[in-house]
Amino acid sequence: MPKALTKKKASIAVKKKVLDRLKAKATKGQLLGSCNFGIEEKLHLLDCVNQQLPIGGAGWKVVVEKYNKWATEHDYAERDDKSLKGKFDALVHDAKSKPTSSADCDPQTNLLAIALKIEEAIEKKLELSH
């Protein structure tokens, strides 16, 4: 068999392995082609959550609509309620487990402090609704 043909078969086999890995990743965790939230996206998510202070599914639906309208206008990926609520919950969790009151905070620490304040406002709203 000529070397060129052998190399071509090897190249096809490697491409097939890569595609198989990508397909496997697409069925676990993030969707294929999706990306993590950047700082600007996190800030906008927090802004939407702060405006709505969602308690249940209907509140999160409004957050999703506002966020996705902004995302489309600014060339970011649209997200579903599970993704947005999951990111907000992760920020709150990180805020509760990491110090957020440093004098010279980085942007991520500031986001955590904001998320914690919003979570407290949601809890207060929940208490007042009962």
Side-chain angles (χ1 to χ4, degrees):
M1 193 176 270
K3 279 188 175 183
L5 197 52
T6 306
K7 284 183 180 180
K8 187 173 182 179
K9 281 187 175 182
S11 175
I12 291 171
V14 168
K15 288 178 183 176
K16 185 177 178 340
K17 283 182 182 179
V18 170
L19 284 173
D20 289 344
R21 285 187 196 145
L22 288 173
K23 287 177 186 175
K25 182 169 175 71
T27 61
K28 301 179 204 170
Q30 292 183 341
L31 294 175
L32 182 62
S34 67
C35 12
N36 291 328
F37 286 76
I39 296 288
E40 188 175 3
E41 291 171 286
K42 290 176 191 175
L43 275 171
H44 191 71
L45 169 61
L46 292 175
D47 185 43
C48 291
V49 174
N50 189 45
Q51 288 176 29
Q52 186 62 32
L53 298 178
I55 292 175
W60 278 101
K61 183 177 179 184
V62 174
V63 170
V64 170
E65 290 169 359
K66 286 182 179 184
Y67 179 89
N68 284 337
K69 182 177 188 276
W70 172 86
T72 301
E73 292 169 356
H74 293 85
D75 295 324
Y76 286 103
E78 289 189 9
R79 312 281 184 160
D80 62 15
D81 58 334
K82 184 177 176 183
S83 174
L84 294 176
K85 185 171 183 341
K87 179 51 71 178
F88 177 73
D89 290 344
L91 290 169
V92 170
H93 177 268
D94 288 350
K96 290 180 178 178
S97 62
K98 298 177 183 174
T100 58
S101 59
S102 174
D104 31 276
C105 311
D106 64 9
Q108 180 66 24
T109 304
N110 287 333
L111 287 173
L112 299 180
I114 293 167
L116 194 56
K117 287 179 182 177
I118 295 170
E119 176 68 10
E120 290 166 359
I122 290 171
E123 288 173 1
K124 193 171 197 170
K125 180 180 175 182
L126 185 59
E127 286 175 14
L128 293 174
S129 70
H130 287 291

